[in-house]
Amino acid sequence: MPPLFSLIIPVYNSEKNITKCIQSVLNQNFSKEKYEIIIINDASRDNTIKVCRRYKKKNKIVKILNNKKNFGVSYSRNLGIKFAIGKYIIFLDSDDVIKNKTLSTLENLLTNQKIDLLLTSDLVDTKKQTFNTKEINNFFKYLNNSLNFKAHCWYYILNRNFLKKNNIYFKKIRIFEDQVFTAKILCSIKKIKLHKNSFHHHNGNLNS
């Protein structure tokens, strides 16, 4: 049986941060059979790959893809999407960490759900949590009234089949790639579920 989650982590010169990121995933109180960690090494020049290989040696769920040269985060994430086999895709940056019980909480939220997207952000409270095809306009009205909407991909838990069916990948650009990617998603979704809390801490190290 394929895993429930594929966590995609592009890395570049991330030796100082990647340990905390990977460890935060492995420390989850969650069956290792239910998720995979896909690391895309974007031709790092430091010891990033050595750190990642140590984790791969001890954990079968850790998989490493190596770019022959530095292609950037969009190329790396796209490679991760194509390689992933999980039902849902979670994006992390190398300097992110996920909170305790994240994967088990997500599993509970997604059980028996046929959705394209679970949007997790510190959104304002709303009585309406799930929007289907006929209600998408209401979702956008709600979104327009939200002061906390985020377009960064790490807030989006995505159905992998939805991405592939709609041929949605990151545009190969070096800036605002998240915004273009999420715009494509929001224009294609048929069913979306909201969760008001995010599950990760994003540090935004500009050198990685």
Side-chain angles (χ1 to χ4, degrees):
M1 181 179 293
L4 182 60
F5 299 114
S6 294
L7 292 100
I8 295 175
I9 311 173
V11 297
Y12 175 70
N13 292 349
S14 307
E15 63 175 321
K16 295 181 179 179
N17 304 296
I18 191 59
T19 294
K20 289 183 179 180
C21 179
I22 297 174
Q23 202 62 57
S24 74
V25 180
L26 293 175
N27 286 345
Q28 297 287 306
N29 185 18
F30 196 70
S31 172
K32 296 291 193 295
E33 297 178 354
K34 293 184 178 181
Y35 69 97
E36 62 177 351
I37 301 172
I38 302 173
I39 299 170
I40 305 93
N41 176 37
D42 197 20
S44 297
R45 299 178 181 178
D46 62 0
N47 291 316
T48 296
I49 190 60
K50 292 183 179 179
V51 176
C52 294
R53 283 173 178 164
R54 285 200 295 268
Y55 278 101
K56 176 179 171 60
K57 187 176 181 179
K58 297 178 181 179
N59 301 274
K60 293 182 179 180
I61 62 170
V62 175
K63 303 168 185 179
I64 300 175
L65 306 176
N66 286 295
N67 293 339
K68 293 182 178 179
K69 64 179 182 178
N70 183 253
F71 288 112
V73 69
S74 293
Y75 179 96
S76 298
R77 286 176 180 156
N78 288 343
L79 190 61
I81 294 171
K82 293 173 182 177
F83 189 82
I85 59 173
K87 183 175 181 180
Y88 293 99
I89 287 177
I90 300 172
F91 294 103
L92 293 175
D93 282 355
S94 60
D95 47 6
D96 292 347
V97 294
I98 59 174
K99 300 175 183 178
N100 293 333
K101 300 181 180 180
T102 287
L103 297 184
S104 57
T105 302
L106 287 174
E107 181 183 38
N108 291 334
L109 287 170
L110 294 167
T111 296
N112 298 323
Q113 298 282 333
K114 294 182 179 180
I115 62 171
D116 301 323
L117 165 67
L118 173 65
L119 177 56
T120 67
S121 184
D122 299 315
L123 297 165
V124 294
D125 289 328
T126 175
K127 293 181 180 179
K128 186 69 175 174
Q129 297 296 327
T130 305
F131 298 83
N132 59 34
T133 304
K134 296 180 180 179
E135 301 169 316
I136 291 300
N137 285 339
N138 290 333
F139 164 70
F140 282 111
K141 289 178 181 178
Y142 162 72
L143 209 60
N144 285 332
N145 292 326
S146 172
L147 299 177
N148 296 314
F149 170 69
K150 306 290 195 308
H152 302 297
C153 66
W154 48 82
Y155 292 109
Y156 290 64
I157 313 301
L158 289 152
N159 187 306
R160 181 173 60 88
N161 287 336
F162 159 75
L163 290 179
K164 293 198 170 185
K165 180 181 178 180
N166 291 278
N167 196 33
I168 298 176
Y169 293 95
F170 287 87
K171 190 174 179 62
K172 295 177 183 178
I173 53 179
R174 292 276 180 171
I175 189 171
F176 297 130
E177 73 284 343
D178 280 24
Q179 285 79 358
V180 174
F181 178 72
T182 54
K184 290 180 181 179
I185 291 168
L186 295 176
C187 288
S188 302
I189 52 174
K190 302 299 182 183
K191 189 172 183 180
I192 181 172
K193 184 177 179 68
L194 304 180
H195 186 71
K196 66 177 182 178
N197 297 319
S198 60
F199 291 103
H200 82 300
H201 298 287
H202 180 69
N203 295 308
N205 179 10
L206 297 178
N207 295 318
S208 66

